[in-house]
Amino acid sequence: MKHIFLNLKRFDVPVEYGGVNRLAPIDEWGAYIVRSTQEALRRYRPDEVEFVQYFPEAHLIGAVSARSDGSPVQIGCQGVYRMSTAVGGNFGAFTTNRPVSAMRALGVRSVLIGHCEERMDKLGILAEAGAADTVAVSRILNQEVREAIAGGLSVLYCIGEDTADQERWQEVLEEQLEVGLRGVERSRITIGYEPIWSIGPGKRPADQAYITKVARFIKEKTGGMPVVYGGGLREDNAEMLSSIAEIDGGLIALTRFQGEVGFYPDEYIKIIRAYLGK
């Protein structure tokens, strides 16, 4: 089974406001992406490939509504709160947060947890209190994973090492896996590996040998859980990644990195075809 994930971050922001959205008016953007991709993805069997698109919260209703009957596209959200509502319990005192119950009610079926940007945000909050505890971050993420699974969502759980931790990558990744997945039913969880040190302009991309050894390590530590490459599945690395037996898919974000930078549905489909070879 292959897994192709799409993290749309804040690509909805129009160019005139400093964003990269040239696709559609912001109120139609989520629906536009689903409509522009779901028919092309029907060529793949649902028992062979899973497609999940993670949208900013404001676009979830439009994205879910744009799904046609039998659409291969699953809609995901970009995070959940570490607590949720419960019948006879808390009815929703979670201002600004996304309880799993609200996401399920909107039609969301998956959630992205532990992305390097989320980890950095939580570390930044701790830093304001004079703390620098990566284990505490993983404990908070574990609560989010627990809520997501209990509420019926599947999870893409991201882990990764940055430049400062690259020499001790095994220790860092093992800690993120052990703490983040502690006590969790794992059958609906996919691991996304992000080599943070290699992501971004001017950085050296992780090569095939490095990705292979890390993916193999993750599978050994998790008993064979699916692993996708979260450092950016692109057209120029799709063939290389598809040749790695230990990699079960990838996470796509931007599709164009030069000129009119941004996410473009036709380029997204090209990346998928390059990776799957059809």
Side-chain angles (χ1 to χ4, degrees):
M1 181 77 169
K2 294 295 185 181
H3 310 268
I4 306 293
F5 300 101
L6 172 63
N7 180 15
L8 287 157
K9 301 195 179 188
R10 291 278 12 162
F11 300 159
D12 58 328
V13 180
V15 173
E16 58 268 30
Y17 287 94
V20 297
N21 175 18
R22 298 176 177 85
L23 297 179
I26 193 166
D27 60 328
E28 301 172 12
W29 180 81
Y32 178 88
I33 289 174
V34 174
R35 293 194 186 102
S36 299
T37 58
Q38 62 186 345
E39 295 310 315
L41 298 178
R42 288 185 187 276
R43 66 187 298 173
Y44 304 103
R45 290 174 47 182
D47 60 334
E48 294 180 344
V49 190
E50 172 190 41
F51 299 103
V52 183
Q53 299 179 355
Y54 296 106
F55 285 88
E57 186 172 2
H59 303 284
L60 292 173
I61 294 175
V64 169
S65 299
R67 295 179 72 252
S68 56
D69 290 342
S71 174
V73 174
Q74 297 182 49
I75 306 302
C77 60
Q78 297 178 340
V80 290
Y81 190 46
R82 61 185 181 274
M83 292 184 283
S84 189
T85 61
V87 176
N90 194 314
F91 57 84
F94 308 125
T95 302
T96 82
N97 290 300
R98 291 172 293 218
V100 172
S101 54
M103 297 298 96
R104 279 300 303 270
L106 286 174
V108 167
R109 292 297 176 264
S110 185
V111 58
L112 176 63
I113 294 177
H115 190 280
C116 62
E117 292 159 8
E118 181 184 10
R119 289 182 184 271
M120 286 188 287
D121 177 58
K122 287 178 167 54
L123 279 172
I125 294 170
L126 289 174
E128 288 296 317
D133 190 345
T134 56
V135 178
V137 171
S138 290
R139 287 199 300 268
I140 294 171
L141 295 174
N142 175 255
Q143 294 175 50
E144 296 175 1
V145 173
R146 285 172 177 266
E147 285 294 337
I149 295 300
L153 300 183
S154 64
V155 173
L156 174 59
Y157 177 66
C158 293
I159 63 172
E161 78 282 11
D162 60 21
T163 303
D165 293 326
Q166 193 176 357
E167 291 187 0
R168 50 188 288 271
W169 65 269
Q170 292 171 301
E171 177 185 344
V172 171
L173 299 186
E174 185 169 10
E175 177 186 283
Q176 292 174 355
L177 288 167
E178 196 281 323
V179 178
L181 299 179
R182 185 174 293 160
V184 176
E185 159 52 42
R186 301 182 179 188
S187 62
R188 285 181 297 166
I189 301 175
T190 299
I191 305 299
Y193 169 60
E194 298 180 285
I196 303 167
W197 54 270
S198 77
I199 301 172
K203 294 186 177 180
R204 177 177 58 85
D207 61 20
Q208 181 172 349
Y210 192 92
I211 296 168
T212 300
K213 75 174 182 180
V214 175
R216 188 171 295 152
F217 173 83
I218 294 170
K219 283 190 175 291
E220 290 173 355
K221 292 299 178 181
T222 62
M225 290 178 68
V227 180
V228 302
Y229 183 64
L233 173 58
R234 306 182 304 274
E235 195 168 7
D236 63 4
N237 67 9
E239 184 176 354
M240 178 271 286
L241 290 171
S242 70
S243 71
I244 302 176
E246 291 83 0
I247 290 292
D248 303 297
L251 179 59
I252 299 170
L254 289 176
T255 61
R256 190 181 304 177
F257 299 85
Q258 295 179 339
E260 293 187 338
V261 173
F263 171 82
Y264 296 90
D266 58 333
E267 295 172 352
Y268 164 74
I269 298 299
K270 287 180 181 178
I271 294 169
I272 290 171
R273 288 177 177 169
Y275 178 76
L276 296 175
K278 59 180 179 177

